[in-house]
Amino acid sequence: MDAGQDNLTPLGRLEKYAFSENIFNRQIVARGLIDVLREFSDNENDFISIMETVARMSEDAEPTVRAELMEQVPNIAMFLHESRPNFPVAFSRYLVPIVVRYLTDPNNQVRKTSQAALLVLLEQGLICKTDMEGKVCPVLLELTEPNSDDDYKIEALAIMCKLITMLGKDTVEHRLLLRYCELCSDSRLFQVRKVCAVNFGEFCSIVGQEATEKLLLPKFYDLCSDSLWGIRKACAECFMVVSHCTSAVVRRSKLSPLFINLISDQSRWVRQAAFQSLGRFISTFATPSGTGFHFHEDGTLREIRTLSTDSSKHPVVKVLSASQTPEDTYYPPAQSLNKPPAEGIILVRSECSTPTFNQQTDDMYNSFHYWRPVLPDISQDLELLQSEGKDEETGKEMLKGEEEVPNLNPKDPAMSCQIQKVLESLQPHLDDPDVQAQVQVLSAALKAAQLESQENDGDQVTNLHIVTISVFFCYPLININHMSLFPLTPSSLLFILQNVVPQQLLDQYLSMTDPARAQTVDTEIARHCAFSLPGVALTLGRQNWHCLKDTYETLATDVQWKVRRTLAFSIHELAVILGDQLTAADLVPIFNGFLKDLDEVRIGVLKHLYDFLKLLHADKRREYLYQLQEFMVTDNSRNWRFRFELAEQLILIIELYSHHDVYNYLRQIALDLCSDKVSEVRWISYKLVVEILQKLYSCGAHDLSLNFINELVVRFCHCPKWVGRQAFAFICQAVVEEDCMPMDQFAQHLLPCLLSLSSDPVPNVRVLVAKALRQSVLEKSYFKEPGGAYTDELEEALSELRMDKDRDVRFFATLDPKRDVICTAALI
């Protein structure tokens, strides 16, 4: 400004205008500080002079100048961080005090600007831990004191909640946690309680289980019953995160009833948020030992298979008391199966044949008695249902879990006969809903056990299915003579077969498909149910799939395509959880229905087609070969991404089928995709063709390989359209680079045709020919040997291409193969 009109140095001129009486001049100086620093920061004295000027400018009486200055602080900090070796000292001395002081500025715009600047500096990691603890935290604590200004308190709390994710556990616990707990109980400002509720999960995640249960949960209980629906809604939204940070005992005994209250809240918005979080909350009850799965470090779901080291020992299925809970985190990949599992029925796979059912006794607590009324004496009914009766005392001992239950193998003809007799005796009374529920449970238990027994040798049966039937007969709710010992509901029946999550939670989840819920809660409630269903299924385990099967089938036929689309995108994950037998019985029919659905639904199964098919048995998988062609037909022909996804999936699917099936079924689809109107589809399809050729050669199918090569030559090399001839050049290059076939076979069957295209009239074809020859073919040792096959022809073709009239052709013909290869996708 006014350069050359005074005798001042540049820094003197900065000093003059930084404190000018003209507000506009001071604003201009603040806005241009970053440029001044770039010019003079190399000189230490100049740098100090500039920073001191900045410090003085921060005391400007004009709010717009202070706000302009604060907007530049993050940029100045980034510049100093990159260019100054002593950045931490200078930043801490000059800039941090300005940021902290502006947090208490009387002007709202200045405060908001300083808050935004502080968060940027924290996210970039530019504020050291010492400054955060010694300068930032004290100011936040001061601003959130009970007698602090309301606006300051709300703003400081918001910053505090964002700050904790960047501070360590100890700092948050020792400096901020108690103040946060006080703010959760602020009876005067509902805005403060709202901010606390929204960020409650973050605090729990940072401080861990002990502090959460001791200090935070009492506040959470109060917030969940707050008089304002917005605060209760915020609690429902963060419920899953809070649950992660508690033990299994607290989760079941304290949080579950609390969540039930939110689901039945008088406010529709609270109920809506609670139902949206219900599936996620249920998923926190999962443990690797209970589900049989854990998440690997790469994010994939892995099944846990533990084999007994002593073949003389029986696999054990235990019902543990609530006092035996592990360090409970959500699907911890590193958690060992040797740790005590959480309460519930735990499945341990073994090579042994006969299962036993042990129950640990506890005078103070019994998981079975605790969660349902004490059952009556059933010893006489046991005599009716078991071939070898036991006296009344034995029945009582089994009720307490102190005796082993005999092996009730559903494959045993006698036991199967008994079960069938029970089912037949109930048929005349199917008008009674309770009897219908009884029949469903018995049928489901028998079917599940029989399905599982098919994949095991001899009399080996999955423990939990045996336990399902054993529990049912050892604590029977069905009396053949009297029909029922006490009133029975579907919910109580389901409980017999699962004790993973509280039954009330599961009942509420299953009710999400009720049309009445869409009217009273949320029109999108079915989609939320579908979205969380794989997580719920994983939590319950495949042994409890019968609890979810009807709900899944209802969702799969929902009138809203978005619900079906959600299921379609996750059906492959559910197949992993259920295993091949249940997948074949229950998921394959639904999968087949999705294949004939709208494109918006079909794309879900198509994106994970390989993941689903690989889980099926070979004979079932082969049935889908006939349906792959149907993916070529879409509701909208312009939906080219559908065909692109099909090509990507076919590349993966090739490994699942024999070379004969690949040649007979996948080959034609690949060739059709290579002729697509959209270049992106053609590009990926050429790679599919290469994979097919590699499959044929790797399996030794030389006749089929030669037939396929001849078809490629006719279809592409001799194509009247230049796009087809260009595709042939690309395919040849990919074949060489991927070593899809022996080089002598390539030289004999493909190279002559490739060389013939070196004189193609279209430059775009010659470009790819030049690239294939120079970048790939000549790099193979087979073609580098003196006097080798086609060596002279190769050199002659490249010589002509190096003198081509098109400069792009010349470039690729002379390009050093070791240089970065320029992408030619745009040419295809």
Side-chain angles (χ1 to χ4, degrees):
M1 294 182 293
D2 298 335
Q5 297 183 16
D6 54 46
N7 296 324
L8 297 176
T9 64
L11 292 181
R13 193 175 299 114
L14 173 68
E15 182 83 9
K16 172 185 175 181
Y17 290 102
F19 306 102
S20 169
E21 294 182 359
N22 188 324
I23 296 176
F24 178 74
N25 287 344
R26 303 203 300 272
Q27 289 178 328
I28 292 296
V29 171
R31 194 174 303 162
L33 279 174
I34 185 68
D35 297 323
V36 175
L37 282 170
R38 288 195 180 100
E39 289 292 331
F40 299 101
S41 63
D42 293 338
N43 185 291
E44 188 66 23
N45 292 332
D46 292 345
F47 171 74
I48 294 176
S49 177
I50 295 172
M51 296 308 297
E52 289 179 348
T53 301
V54 171
R56 291 167 57 196
M57 286 185 65
S58 67
E59 300 173 359
D60 197 295
E62 175 57 38
T64 57
V65 176
R66 299 197 303 273
E68 190 68 56
L69 175 63
M70 185 49 57
E71 286 186 0
Q72 301 304 316
V73 166
N75 296 330
I76 294 174
M78 287 299 300
F79 170 74
L80 297 180
H81 176 68
E82 296 171 356
S83 60
R84 299 287 300 181
N86 62 340
F87 162 77
V89 177
F91 180 71
S92 178
R93 178 180 177 183
Y94 293 105
L95 296 182
V96 172
I98 301 175
V99 176
V100 172
R101 187 171 72 251
Y102 279 10
L103 292 175
T104 60
D105 195 277
N107 183 270
N108 182 63
Q109 182 184 3
V110 176
R111 289 201 313 275
K112 295 295 185 183
T113 306
S114 66
Q115 294 165 14
L118 175 60
L119 293 177
V120 171
L121 295 172
L122 290 171
E123 291 172 357
Q124 298 294 331
L126 299 178
I127 301 182
C128 65
K129 183 178 180 181
T130 303
D131 283 340
M132 285 192 289
E133 296 180 359
K135 297 180 180 179
V136 179
C137 288
V139 173
L140 296 178
L141 292 174
E142 178 184 350
L143 294 176
T144 54
E145 289 181 351
N147 58 353
S148 177
D149 180 84
D150 292 350
D151 291 338
Y152 287 7
K153 182 185 294 186
I154 296 171
E155 293 167 358
L157 175 59
I159 296 175
M160 181 191 298
C161 293
K162 295 180 179 179
L163 180 66
I164 61 170
T165 60
M166 305 164 196
L167 296 174
K169 176 179 180 294
D170 293 338
T171 302
V172 174
E173 193 167 352
H174 294 149
R175 289 182 173 268
L176 303 177
L177 182 56
L178 292 180
R179 176 57 54 82
Y180 175 78
C181 291
E182 294 174 2
L183 295 171
C184 288
S185 303
D186 192 308
S187 59
R188 192 169 58 87
L189 290 173
F190 76 89
Q191 297 95 331
V192 171
R193 301 196 307 276
K194 177 68 176 295
V195 175
C196 288
V198 169
N199 296 278
F200 205 93
E202 293 288 349
F203 264 90
C204 293
S205 300
I206 296 297
V207 300
Q209 178 178 322
E210 183 178 355
T212 295
E213 295 183 355
K214 182 179 180 181
L215 299 174
L216 290 176
L217 280 189
K219 305 299 180 183
F220 191 64
Y221 302 151
D222 294 337
L223 291 173
C224 286
S225 58
D226 196 276
S227 59
L228 290 177
W229 67 264
I231 296 176
R232 302 195 302 274
K233 176 177 179 289
C235 291
E237 291 170 344
C238 70
F239 216 94
M240 180 195 74
V241 183
V242 175
S243 178
H244 276 316
C245 304
T246 62
S247 66
V249 176
V250 172
R251 186 179 300 125
R252 182 179 289 271
S253 62
K254 301 293 184 181
L255 294 184
S256 295
L258 194 64
F259 196 86
I260 293 297
N261 292 337
L262 293 175
I263 280 183
S264 56
D265 194 274
Q266 61 182 357
S267 168
R268 175 171 181 167
W269 303 111
V270 177
R271 297 197 304 271
Q272 185 180 107
F275 272 108
Q276 290 178 10
S277 299
L278 176 56
R280 288 175 287 174
F281 175 48
I282 289 176
S283 70
T284 63
F285 287 82
T287 59
S289 52
T291 64
F293 291 87
H294 74 93
F295 282 107
H296 197 259
E297 294 177 356
D298 60 3
T300 58
L301 193 63
R302 303 286 182 88
E303 185 172 4
I304 302 173
R305 294 184 178 271
T306 303
L307 302 180
S308 174
T309 56
D310 185 356
S311 59
S312 64
K313 295 181 179 179
H314 300 309
V316 178
V317 181
K318 296 182 179 180
V319 177
L320 301 176
S321 67
S323 60
Q324 294 178 290
T325 56
E327 180 72 14
D328 197 19
T329 55
Y330 185 48
Y331 308 147
Q335 184 173 6
S336 170
L337 283 179
N338 295 327
K339 292 185 179 180
E343 69 269 354
I345 298 177
I346 307 303
L347 174 62
V348 180
R349 292 184 178 272
S350 175
E351 294 295 337
C352 310
S353 59
T354 307
T356 61
F357 183 77
N358 297 335
Q359 183 175 6
Q360 296 190 2
T361 59
D362 191 331
D363 294 336
M364 301 300 295
Y365 176 86
N366 182 286
S367 63
F368 189 81
H369 291 163
Y370 182 79
W371 291 108
R372 63 183 295 106
V374 178
L375 298 176
D377 181 9
I378 57 173
S379 57
Q380 294 181 358
D381 298 285
L382 288 176
E383 293 177 2
L384 295 174
L385 295 173
Q386 301 176 12
S387 58
E388 296 183 8
K390 294 193 174 184
D391 57 18
E392 182 175 349
E393 184 65 23
T394 304
K396 292 180 179 179
E397 291 178 359
M398 286 192 298
L399 187 61
K400 297 179 181 178
E402 296 176 352
E403 284 289 326
E404 292 185 353
V405 175
N407 179 18
L408 300 177
N409 191 336
K411 293 185 66 176
D412 181 10
M415 180 50 58
S416 297
C417 181
Q418 291 286 357
I419 298 175
Q420 293 296 337
K421 286 181 179 179
V422 172
L423 290 172
E424 291 172 3
S425 68
L426 295 174
Q427 294 300 317
H429 306 276
L430 288 179
D431 293 336
D432 187 343
D434 291 337
V435 176
Q436 294 177 10
Q438 296 170 7
V439 170
Q440 291 176 1
V441 171
L442 270 178
S443 301
L446 183 59
K447 178 183 178 182
Q450 291 173 341
L451 279 174
E452 189 68 29
S453 67
Q454 294 174 7
E455 65 177 328
N456 295 288
D457 296 327
D459 293 333
Q460 183 182 4
V461 181
T462 299
N463 307 352
L464 211 31
H465 292 151
I466 296 178
V467 171
T468 296
I469 300 176
S470 301
V471 172
F472 193 91
F473 281 101
C474 291
Y475 309 108
L477 301 180
I478 298 175
N479 186 310
I480 297 179
N481 297 325
H482 305 95
M483 292 309 301
S484 181
L485 295 175
F486 57 90
L488 191 63
T489 65
S491 299
S492 61
L493 280 170
L494 287 176
F495 178 83
I496 297 176
L497 302 180
Q498 75 88 20
N499 191 24
V500 181
V501 300
Q503 188 59 38
Q504 278 187 299
L505 290 178
L506 185 57
D507 288 344
Q508 292 290 348
Y509 179 80
L510 298 179
S511 73
M512 292 175 73
T513 57
D514 187 346
R517 292 290 192 195
Q519 301 297 323
T520 60
V521 180
D522 183 5
T523 56
E524 294 287 312
I525 191 171
R527 188 157 67 96
H528 292 296
C529 180
F531 179 80
S532 57
L533 194 141
V536 176
L538 178 63
T539 302
L540 293 176
R542 66 180 60 163
Q543 67 274 10
N544 293 314
W545 167 242
H546 60 275
C547 299
L548 296 175
K549 179 184 175 183
D550 291 344
T551 299
Y552 190 78
E553 292 176 349
T554 301
L555 292 170
T557 56
D558 195 277
V559 294
Q560 300 182 70
W561 64 265
K562 290 183 178 180
V563 176
R564 305 194 303 275
R565 173 185 169 93
T566 301
L567 293 183
F569 270 93
S570 63
I571 192 170
H572 66 290
E573 295 287 0
L574 190 59
V576 173
I577 296 169
L578 297 184
D580 53 0
Q581 293 291 333
L582 288 174
T583 295
D586 297 333
L587 296 190
V588 165
I590 294 175
F591 182 84
N592 293 338
F594 288 157
L595 292 179
K596 302 173 183 177
D597 212 313
L598 302 175
D599 284 354
E600 290 81 2
V601 178
R602 294 170 71 205
I603 189 63
V605 294
L606 179 58
K607 272 186 172 294
H608 302 285
L609 186 61
Y610 166 77
D611 296 321
F612 187 83
L613 292 181
K614 73 178 181 181
L615 300 173
L616 304 180
H617 287 299
D619 54 345
K620 177 64 68 174
R621 185 190 306 144
R622 198 169 185 275
E623 295 177 5
Y624 290 95
L625 281 171
Y626 309 96
Q627 303 181 47
L628 292 176
Q629 184 70 38
E630 297 177 7
F631 282 112
M632 295 290 292
V633 181
T634 57
D635 298 337
N636 184 357
S637 60
R638 295 182 178 180
N639 188 6
W640 62 268
R641 289 181 177 84
F642 201 92
R643 301 188 297 277
F644 181 90
E645 190 64 46
L646 173 60
E648 282 196 323
Q649 287 296 309
L650 291 179
I651 291 175
L652 301 173
I653 288 173
I654 285 175
E655 72 173 54
L656 301 179
Y657 295 101
S658 68
H659 62 277
H660 285 292
D661 287 338
V662 170
Y663 183 84
N664 293 330
Y665 297 98
L666 304 189
R667 172 183 57 87
Q668 189 57 50
I669 299 177
L671 294 175
D672 291 342
L673 289 171
C674 287
S675 302
D676 198 272
K677 296 180 180 179
V678 180
S679 62
E680 288 292 333
V681 178
R682 297 197 302 271
W683 176 272
I684 190 67
S685 302
Y686 301 152
K687 297 179 181 178
L688 172 60
V689 166
V690 173
E691 292 294 329
I692 293 176
L693 187 59
Q694 186 173 29
K695 173 79 172 184
L696 297 177
Y697 266 102
S698 63
C699 294
H702 298 295
D703 291 341
L704 296 180
S705 302
L706 186 57
N707 291 342
F708 190 41
I709 289 175
N710 292 335
E711 193 169 6
L712 294 178
V713 171
V714 173
R715 181 180 286 260
F716 296 109
C717 183
H718 300 155
C719 180
K721 297 182 179 180
W722 68 268
V723 174
R725 302 194 299 275
Q726 185 190 55
F728 185 81
F730 176 82
I731 292 172
C732 288
Q733 182 179 9
V735 166
V736 174
E737 291 180 346
E738 299 295 329
D739 291 322
C740 294
M741 57 191 297
M743 284 300 100
D744 59 337
Q745 293 290 308
F746 174 81
Q748 180 179 355
H749 301 297
L750 287 177
L751 184 57
C753 299
L754 178 62
L755 292 175
S756 67
L757 295 179
S758 62
S759 57
D760 194 275
V762 179
N764 282 14
V765 176
R766 300 198 303 275
V767 166
L768 261 70
V769 172
K771 184 180 178 183
L773 295 178
R774 186 69 186 92
Q775 299 290 328
S776 303
V777 176
L778 282 182
E779 289 302 299
K780 292 295 181 180
S781 58
Y782 180 85
F783 298 103
K784 289 183 178 181
E785 298 176 2
Y790 291 95
T791 302
D792 296 337
E793 291 84 345
L794 279 172
E795 290 296 338
E796 182 180 352
L798 276 174
S799 297
E800 294 179 0
L801 292 171
R802 291 189 186 106
M803 296 182 293
D804 196 277
K805 59 184 178 181
D806 186 274
R807 65 177 182 179
D808 291 331
V809 176
R810 297 195 302 270
F811 173 81
F812 281 102
T814 57
L815 183 65
D816 186 353
K818 297 180 181 180
R819 289 181 55 184
D820 293 336
V821 179
I822 299 176
C823 180
T824 54
L827 301 174
I828 298 181

